[in-house]
């Protein structure tokens, strides 16, 4: 309607442009009405349910036994030495922590994140190689086709001196090639 809400200048950062799905018109609630309170209560309840489900899931994961990867061997050390650049302290720390997780029998639950260009790929390659040495197949997921091609090319170079078979699976990979890669 014609309702107005005044915001003090020092709270101007609480205003921001609405961004939603293309073509979707947002629902606007009347100031002081019950709709917004009901929506907040419904969301709070759903978040509480989700938190409860997560707690149950994590409690169940703690009781399960996962696969414990083998300690590093000469080949894994050679693979790491073969990296042509110097690792950052963060990369070194991430690699140590991920290897510890992988060698534990507790199911691994770790997310490695960082800005573009800060060495996550090498950390992932080291973890992948560790899994490959224990006869596991590795799937390296990428959010875009372009990035999958870049990682594929990097993997071919990085793993070239080691007994690793690498394939690219994306929307341009033929069904025949997919079968070959999986086999």
């Amino acid at each position: 309607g014609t309702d107005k809400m005044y915001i003090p200048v020092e709270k101007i950062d609480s205003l921001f442009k609405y961004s939603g799905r293309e073509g979707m018109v947002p629902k606007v609630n009347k100031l002081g009405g019950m709709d917004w309170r009901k929506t907040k209560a419904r969301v709070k309840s759903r978040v509480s349910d989700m938190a409860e489900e997560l707690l149950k899931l994590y409690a169940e994961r703690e009781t399960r036994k996962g696969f414990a990867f083998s300690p590093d061997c000469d080949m894994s050390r050679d693979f790491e030495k073969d990296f042509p650049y110097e690792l950052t302290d963060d990369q070194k720390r991430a690699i140590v922590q991920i290897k510890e997780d992988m060698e534990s029998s507790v199911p691994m639950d770790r997310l490695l994140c960082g800005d573009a260009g800060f060495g996550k790929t090498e950390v992932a390659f080291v973890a992948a190689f560790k899994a490959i040495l224990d006869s596991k197949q590795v799937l390296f997921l990428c959010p875009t086709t372009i990035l999958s091609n870049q990682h594929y090319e990097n993997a071919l170079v990085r793993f070239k001196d080691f007994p690793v078979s690498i394939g690219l699976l994306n929307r341009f990979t033929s069904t025949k090639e997919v079968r070959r890669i999986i086999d």
Side-chain angles (χ1 to χ4, degrees):
T2 58
D3 293 351
K4 292 182 182 178
M5 177 181 275
Y6 295 96
I7 298 173
V9 173
E10 58 271 7
K11 297 277 187 174
I12 196 74
D13 62 337
S14 43
L15 293 179
F16 55 91
K17 182 180 176 182
Y18 173 80
S19 63
R21 283 185 288 184
E22 187 87 18
M24 185 180 148
V25 179
K27 182 181 178 198
V28 179
N29 299 122
K30 183 172 173 43
L31 286 176
M34 286 301 294
D35 288 341
W36 178 241
R37 285 189 210 133
K38 287 179 185 175
T39 300
K40 286 196 314 188
R42 191 169 50 249
V43 168
K44 188 175 182 179
S45 172
R46 286 185 185 162
V47 167
S48 178
D49 292 346
M50 190 184 306
E52 190 174 319
E53 286 176 36
L54 283 171
L55 285 171
K56 286 179 186 173
L57 173 70
Y58 278 85
E60 184 180 320
R61 283 176 59 93
E62 288 296 318
T63 63
R64 285 195 178 165
K65 194 159 181 85
F67 181 83
F69 289 89
S70 304
D72 285 353
C73 64
D74 290 339
M75 191 181 295
S76 60
R77 285 186 281 278
D78 290 344
F79 179 79
E80 290 181 44
K81 285 179 192 165
D82 198 44
F83 185 54
Y85 307 103
E86 181 151 349
L87 293 173
T88 66
D89 290 341
D90 286 340
Q91 283 175 302
K92 290 174 189 172
R93 185 171 35 260
I95 288 170
V96 166
Q97 291 172 350
I98 287 170
K99 284 182 183 181
E100 286 172 358
D101 285 355
M102 291 177 77
E103 292 173 14
S104 166
S105 62
V106 175
M108 187 170 169
D109 188 16
R110 179 176 294 277
L111 173 65
L112 175 66
C113 59
D115 289 337
F118 280 83
K120 297 176 301 297
T121 302
E122 179 58 18
V123 175
F125 283 171
V126 169
F129 194 69
K130 186 171 191 63
I132 291 164
L133 289 177
D134 269 357
S135 302
K136 300 294 181 187
Q137 211 172 32
V138 175
L139 181 64
F140 195 107
L141 295 175
C142 305
T144 66
T145 304
I146 291 172
L147 191 58
S148 71
N149 285 318
Q150 289 172 346
H151 283 312
Y152 173 68
E153 295 299 326
N154 287 334
L156 289 175
V157 171
R158 187 66 178 91
F159 290 89
K160 75 179 182 313
D161 296 329
F162 299 91
V164 176
S165 176
I166 298 172
L168 174 65
L169 298 174
N170 65 26
R171 61 190 171 126
F172 298 121
T173 309
S174 70
T175 306
K176 182 179 177 183
E177 183 66 6
V178 168
R179 283 194 202 106
R180 186 196 68 74
I181 291 168
I182 291 171
D183 288 344

